[in-house]
């Protein structure tokens, strides 16, 4: 059994606020767990976790969310709902003809509502994409690590998707935003306890680096671009 992606964990000054916002946007229940507030994913939709961290943002985030829309009216309704819930417009240099609408969630994290008819995100579901800064090497690393097909590999840009479809994870190639001293986002992986040691060895062989083993049984690692991720040993 290979590791599987359970969530993108995001640091937040007020995790309860962000969990309510994204739970309402995605139509997911907020689950309180010992480490943060979880919006569970599914076989085709990536989960989100919000973890308390009072430190201010010190660098540009390496990942942001893309929501899909089915029609122009649906796109406007998603934007209106987000604004009613506390989102604000955000100018990152986007052009009107690009079609997508950029907003900031209640803590200023950027996300995009993608225009209807976007072929790349067709059929992915509401949480269509985790759009990441990253090299081609890191995209290929995660394809191998998760055993997800590489669905895009052109001009140093890569994207992967679960075998069942759903949310894509994409890396845009250089330039890559510098690493923050205290990363605000990380992937959370899970694996059966009996397979954990073998899977960690496999990840190391693929190019990961192992750092620490916290007392809770997780392994803190970094991918080839230096992004932190956690591997948790599942009892079940």
């Amino acid at each position: 059994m290979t590791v599987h992606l359970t969530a993108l964990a995001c640091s937040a000054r007020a995790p309860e606020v962000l969990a309510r916002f994204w739970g309402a946007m995605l139509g997911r229940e907020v689950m309180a767990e010992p480490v943060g507030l979880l919006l569970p994913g599914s076989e085709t939709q990536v989960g989100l976790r919000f973890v308390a961290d009072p430190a201010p943002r010190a660098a540009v985030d390496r990942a942001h969310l893309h929501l899909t829309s089915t029609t122009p009216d649906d796109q406007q309704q998603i934007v209106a709902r987000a604004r009613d819930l506390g989102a604000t417009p955000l100018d990152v240099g986007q052009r009107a003809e690009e079609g997508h609408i950029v907003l900031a969630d209640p803590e200023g994290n950027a996300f995009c509502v993608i225009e209807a008819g976007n072929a790349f995100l067709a059929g992915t579901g509401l949480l269509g994409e985790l759009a990441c800064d990253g090299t081609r090497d890191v995209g290929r690393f995660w394809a191998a690590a998760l055993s997800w097909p590489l669905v895009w590999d052109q001009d140093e840009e890569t994207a992967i998707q679960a075998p069942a479809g759903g949310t894509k994870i994409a890396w845009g190639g250089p330039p890559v935003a510098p690493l923050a001293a205290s990363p605000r986002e990380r992937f959370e992986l899970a694996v059966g306890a009996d397979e954990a040691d073998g899977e960690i060895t496999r990840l190391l062989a693929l190019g990961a680096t192992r750092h620490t083993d916290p007392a809770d049984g997780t392994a803190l690692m970094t991918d080839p671009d230096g992004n932190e991720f956690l591997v948790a040993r599942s009892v079940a």
Side-chain angles (χ1 to χ4, degrees):
M1 174 183 174
T2 59
V3 290
H4 66 274
L5 176 63
T6 56
L8 172 70
C10 308
S11 297
R13 294 185 299 277
E16 298 85 359
V17 172
L18 280 194
R20 285 197 302 270
F21 173 85
W22 283 106
M25 288 300 300
L26 299 174
R28 300 187 196 179
E29 179 184 359
V30 178
M31 296 181 61
E33 297 198 335
V35 181
L37 300 170
L38 177 67
L39 304 183
S42 67
E43 189 179 19
T44 60
Q45 291 283 283
V46 172
L48 300 176
R49 185 187 303 280
F50 299 96
V51 180
D53 184 352
R57 181 183 282 107
V60 176
D61 293 334
R62 281 190 168 186
H64 65 278
L65 307 183
H66 285 177
L67 305 184
T68 63
S69 61
T70 56
T71 65
D73 283 347
D74 182 49
Q75 184 187 31
Q76 292 302 320
Q77 289 169 8
I78 293 171
V79 170
R81 181 165 74 252
R83 296 194 65 174
D84 287 344
L85 291 167
T88 54
L90 184 64
D91 183 358
V92 294
Q94 69 273 25
R95 301 186 302 274
E97 62 269 22
E98 290 176 319
H100 63 276
I101 298 171
V102 185
L103 301 169
D105 71 16
E107 284 207 2
N109 303 299
F111 67 98
C112 299
V113 183
I114 304 301
E115 69 279 4
N118 182 288
F120 182 68
L121 298 184
T124 56
L126 180 55
L127 180 50
E129 185 177 23
L130 305 184
C132 308
D133 274 11
T135 63
R136 179 175 185 263
D137 286 345
V138 86
R140 295 178 68 85
F141 166 83
W142 281 109
L146 298 174
S147 297
W148 284 17
L150 193 67
V151 296
W152 183 266
D153 186 5
Q154 293 184 28
D155 302 323
E156 299 191 80
E157 298 177 354
T158 51
I160 63 175
Q161 187 178 36
T167 307
K168 291 180 176 178
I169 307 177
W171 293 269
V176 177
L179 278 170
S182 299
R184 293 173 51 82
E185 298 158 332
R186 60 166 62 108
F187 288 162
E188 292 185 348
L189 313 181
V191 67
D194 292 342
E195 295 87 11
D197 290 342
E199 278 298 279
I200 289 171
T201 298
R202 185 178 68 89
L203 294 170
L204 292 171
L206 289 172
T209 301
R210 187 171 186 170
H211 294 275
T212 61
D213 291 316
D216 61 4
T218 60
L220 177 64
M221 307 183 76
T222 53
D223 67 21
D225 277 0
N227 303 296
E228 290 184 355
F229 64 95
L230 288 174
V231 179
R233 300 167 186 260
S234 174
V235 176

